[in-house]
Amino acid sequence: MDDCIFCKILNGEIPAKFIHSDGDTAAFYDVNPQAPTHILIIPKEHIASSAEVDSQNSDVWNKILGRAVQIAHELNLDKDGYRMVINTGEQGGQTVPHLHLHLLAGRNLGWPPG
Ligand code: DGP
């Protein structure tokens, strides 16, 4: 997608601090971290939001969720805990229209979210 920030990160047009990249997914640090650890896990395929996941591409859930859990494990986040968040649409707080999962850790995260 030409005007998608995350697609530009994937193709190197915008720099990012990557922690992972494979054929299907990538993970990089959020530019505006909301916790000491704040990583975004995205599919390489441009899917605008969770609302665009259907029976054709639903394997994306396994890919990004599984990758997030693996990264959390590798960063030793299991013991103290972490949160995974997917914002969807305007009221859901989504600002970048490329499906992404936030992995947040390193502080006590309040509930309910704002
Ligand atoms: P959301 O509000 O759920 O759509 O989250 C979008 C996140 O993307 C937000 O936490 C900030 C992050 N972000 C936006 N632009 C960039 C960028 O250019 N680089 C990086 N690393 N993160 C970005």
Side-chain angles (χ1 to χ4, degrees), residues 2-81:
D2 287 351
D3 58 351
C4 170
I5 293 172
F6 287 174
C7 288
K8 287 182 177 174
I9 286 176
L10 289 176
N11 69 26
E13 279 180 72
I14 295 176
K17 189 177 170 197
F18 279 85
I19 187 170
H20 171 85
S21 180
D22 64 23
D24 296 315
T25 64
F28 50 87
Y29 286 90
D30 195 292
V31 77
N32 183 22
Q34 301 301 312
T37 300
H38 188 170
I39 294 165
L40 301 171
I41 295 93
I42 71 170
K44 289 196 169 173
E45 176 188 1
H46 181 87
I47 299 171
S49 80
S50 57
E52 299 218 340
V53 179
D54 58 24
S55 59
Q56 300 299 305
N57 58 8
S58 60
D59 57 340
V60 71
W61 296 132
N62 272 344
K63 291 174 181 168
I64 62 170
L65 199 55
R67 187 61 60 199
V69 169
Q70 184 191 19
I71 290 169
H73 189 62
E74 287 170 1
L75 296 180
N76 293 316
L77 304 179
D78 295 343
K79 179 172 161 286
D80 289 336

